[in-house]
Amino acid sequence: MHVAEPFATGVLSFLVDITKRQVEKYEVYILYGIRPLTPDNVEDLFDKRVNLIKIDSFMGAIGTVVNFKAYRDLRRWYKAIKPDIVHLHSSASGFVGRWALPCGKLPVFYTPHGYSFLMKDGAKFKRFLFWLIEYFSAKRSAITVACSEGEYKEALELSGDSTYVNNGINIRELEKYVRPIDKIRYPIRICTSGRILYQKNPRLFNEIARLLPEAQFIWIGEGELKSELTSSNICVTGWIKRGEALSIIKDVDFFILPSLWEGLPISLLEAMYLKKICLVSNVIGNRDVIRNGVNGLICNSAREYANAICDIVNGKIDGVLISENASEDVEQNYNVELMAQQYDEIYTGSNLSLIHISEPTRLDV
């Protein structure tokens, strides 16, 4: 039984991919909440064998944590489903689940997908509140499974019952969008993707674009900070279908991710596999996967991004080799098949005899 209060972006992609594998072996349930970025057709994204249960009392991170009904609803569904394993995703689900469920009586796993207390927006009190939530919840009998090595190091500060499995992507569905780079084409095309919000650092993206006025910059996505993208060489696509987004990424040479914080970004892994030259900020998640100068570049300022792009275009840095290394690295270490296998090993190593259910559980709720 997966519990995911934020049924959107990286958490949603993770669950779509991993449950496609899990339904071949287990009966799978997902209890989820709706966020503004949750797709309207979210149920169509999943294998038909996945049991999706919408929880109305899941109302955003803080709204869920302070809502007594969320604890009651989760407990009620737990009693109805009687799962052998529970996996909680993101901070709110992790808190509610670890306190609402009998963690000492069954294996409970928690994946932060980027600790909320590492966010750099909002008030310090809000970040402290998220840290406090994680600190006290870590006292419960549950295993934290971080999604990157950097997140794992943060998890160890809270609980020794921690491990990590790197995020992985479905490379099979991306194969038709791979375009090897033989040489940089003009005009230079640079893109990023995601919601235009503080975390993704649109201000820095805009500054990089100003430093490279001859290049074309593309932001695939939409968001409340769109007004910060003022440079005339930036195109904002708005929300488009996944196939359209991948077609855009296919035709660019550079992908940049100047985020202020990350878990382990799926968008970066996908761009790497598609053989884009990736330039990223120096934060957890990004620097867990990017080896500077080998499979991408880590930058600390707009000028560093601009200079690195110019050096690649001018042949001072071998961008073709970097793009090939990136794709090979993802194929070997960050694919969804490996991720699912490692999660299964963690689940089955929890010292419980897992029951492989052949008939659906009757839910009397």
Side-chain angles (χ1 to χ4, degrees):
M1 184 178 82
H2 293 282
V3 183
E5 174 275 316
F7 213 43
T9 60
V11 175
L12 177 58
S13 297
F14 171 91
L15 287 170
V16 168
D17 284 335
I18 198 168
T19 56
K20 285 179 181 177
R21 280 80 188 165
Q22 291 177 339
V23 291
E24 300 298 334
K25 192 174 183 180
Y26 308 112
E27 184 181 349
V28 178
Y29 292 82
I30 302 178
L31 277 57
Y32 70 94
I34 295 294
R35 287 275 187 103
L37 286 178
T38 302
D40 293 335
N41 66 331
V42 68
E43 294 189 359
D44 296 336
L45 302 177
F46 288 86
D47 187 289
K48 299 302 181 184
R49 290 169 288 180
V50 175
N51 300 278
L52 294 168
I53 301 169
K54 180 174 173 288
I55 307 298
D56 292 330
S57 54
F58 286 0
M59 301 182 296
I62 296 298
T64 300
V65 168
V66 300
N67 186 1
F68 174 76
K69 192 173 184 296
Y71 300 80
R72 187 181 64 187
D73 288 345
L74 180 54
R75 180 77 177 187
R76 181 167 58 100
W77 279 107
Y78 160 74
K79 289 181 176 179
I81 296 170
K82 299 180 177 64
D84 299 300
I85 287 177
V86 174
H87 195 155
L88 312 167
H89 300 274
S90 202
S91 297
S93 303
F95 183 81
V96 173
R98 282 180 286 182
W99 290 101
L101 304 179
C103 295
K105 296 182 180 179
L106 81 161
V108 175
F109 301 91
Y110 164 54
T111 299
H113 297 282
Y115 278 113
S116 295
F117 62 79
L118 296 177
M119 296 187 304
K120 295 185 179 180
D121 62 341
K124 288 184 178 180
F125 175 75
K126 183 179 179 181
R127 296 198 298 273
F128 173 73
L129 179 60
F130 276 119
W131 178 85
L132 209 60
I133 284 172
E134 297 290 355
Y135 175 78
F136 283 110
S137 299
K139 308 300 181 185
R140 299 285 287 168
S141 180
I143 297 174
T144 300
V145 187
C147 65
S148 71
E149 185 175 2
E151 186 170 86
Y152 168 62
K153 291 176 181 178
E154 293 289 337
L156 284 176
E157 295 293 321
L158 296 163
S159 171
D161 292 331
S162 301
T163 185
Y164 77 97
V165 173
N166 285 321
N167 272 350
I169 60 171
N170 185 351
I171 62 178
R172 292 179 184 175
E173 71 170 15
L174 297 175
E175 288 174 352
K176 64 180 179 180
Y177 297 100
V178 175
R179 179 184 65 82
I181 297 175
D182 50 1
K183 62 180 180 179
I184 304 299
R185 300 183 297 176
Y186 291 89
I188 302 166
R189 303 186 74 206
I190 302 162
C191 82
T192 192
S193 66
R195 186 175 178 181
I196 311 172
L197 74 173
Y198 181 80
Q199 177 197 359
K200 300 300 182 181
N201 210 350
R203 184 171 298 179
L204 181 57
F205 186 86
N206 191 72
E207 190 176 346
I208 299 166
R210 287 185 181 278
L211 292 172
L212 298 170
E214 302 303 318
Q216 295 179 359
F217 283 75
I218 306 167
W219 191 303
I220 302 170
E222 186 59 81
E224 56 266 34
L225 294 185
K226 179 180 178 180
S227 60
E228 294 193 357
L229 301 175
T230 58
S231 185
S232 60
N233 57 335
I234 296 177
C235 169
V236 178
T237 67
W239 293 119
I240 57 178
K241 293 180 179 179
R242 176 167 170 76
E244 296 177 69
L246 290 171
S247 293
I248 291 173
I249 297 173
K250 175 184 177 180
D251 289 332
V252 307
D253 292 318
F254 295 92
F255 181 90
I256 65 177
L257 195 64
S259 310
L260 294 170
W261 70 89
E262 287 287 355
L264 200 163
I266 298 296
S267 61
L268 173 59
L269 296 178
E270 291 183 339
M272 291 172 66
Y273 180 71
L274 294 177
K275 300 190 176 183
K276 305 301 110 181
I277 303 167
C278 296
L279 299 91
V280 303
S281 56
N282 189 13
V283 298
I284 289 174
N286 288 348
R287 62 173 177 253
D288 290 326
V289 65
I290 293 295
R291 292 173 288 149
N292 194 32
V294 178
N295 63 355
L297 294 166
I298 298 174
C299 303
N300 295 289
S301 68
R303 178 56 64 183
E304 284 190 21
Y305 282 95
N307 288 345
I309 291 170
C310 289
D311 285 345
I312 291 169
V313 172
N314 295 330
K316 294 181 180 180
I317 297 175
D318 191 342
V320 174
L321 179 60
I322 286 175
S323 69
E324 292 291 339
N325 288 341
S327 186
E328 183 179 345
D329 194 14
V330 170
E331 186 170 1
Q332 292 180 356
N333 301 306
Y334 299 95
N335 67 80
V336 72
E337 303 294 344
L338 177 61
M339 179 184 75
Q341 176 188 332
Q342 291 176 335
Y343 269 105
D344 197 47
E345 290 171 356
I346 291 172
Y347 292 154
T348 55
S350 59
N351 296 323
L352 268 191
S353 298
L354 298 182
I355 302 172
H356 296 235
I357 304 172
S358 56
E359 295 295 331
T361 303
R362 180 181 176 183
L363 301 181
D364 297 319
V365 177

